[in-house]
């Protein structure tokens, strides 16, 4: 979702470098994969088309931090009246 981001901290010899991949537009998401010693972080559209990809050698990656955007809590369902289910207006 827009705003989701992944931070990658990489060992660059005598120092560390931090990279970010951000879902920049609505409907895009950030996916991570580790394959054959390579960490791949991609920004992907709704249809699955890859917009951009960052690749790092897995033995150089120190940290991979996924930071989702806080979403509103939809665990409380509401009925037609707009009140949560189970609320009795007569009580």
């Amino acid at each position: 979702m827009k705003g989701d981001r992944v931070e990658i901290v990489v060992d660059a010899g005598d120092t560390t470098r931090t990279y970010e991949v951000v879902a920049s537009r609505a409907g895009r998401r950030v996916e991570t994969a580790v394959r054959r010693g390579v960490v791949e972080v991609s920004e992907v559209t709704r249809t699955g088309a890859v917009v951009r990809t960052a690749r790092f050698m897995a033995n150089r990656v120190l940290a991979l931090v996924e930071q989702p955007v806080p979403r509103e809590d939809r665990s409380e369902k509401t009925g037609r009246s707009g009140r949560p289910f189970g609320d009795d207006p007569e009580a």
Side-chain angles (χ1 to χ4, degrees):
M1 297 306 225
K2 180 180 179 179
D4 286 354
R5 71 179 205 231
V6 174
E7 287 184 48
I8 306 101
V9 180
V10 180
D11 178 18
D14 59 340
T15 186
T16 60
R17 293 192 182 181
T18 303
Y19 299 92
E20 278 189 354
V21 177
V22 180
S24 58
R25 300 178 104 182
R28 292 191 180 168
R29 62 187 184 276
V30 179
E31 294 183 350
T32 58
V34 181
R35 295 185 202 119
R36 294 183 157 211
V38 176
V39 176
E40 192 172 279
V41 182
S42 303
E43 181 181 358
V44 182
T45 64
R46 285 184 183 122
T47 61
V50 176
V51 177
R52 59 183 153 164
T53 301
R55 290 186 184 98
F56 306 93
M57 295 299 294
N59 61 353
R60 293 289 186 180
V61 174
L62 300 174
L64 188 68
V65 183
E66 296 182 11
Q67 298 179 344
V69 172
R71 310 241 191 316
E72 64 184 44
D73 185 21
R74 294 186 180 184
S75 62
E76 190 175 274
K77 306 276 185 197
T78 58
R80 287 186 196 154
S81 65
R83 286 190 223 84
F85 288 121
D87 276 0
D88 187 10
E90 303 296 320

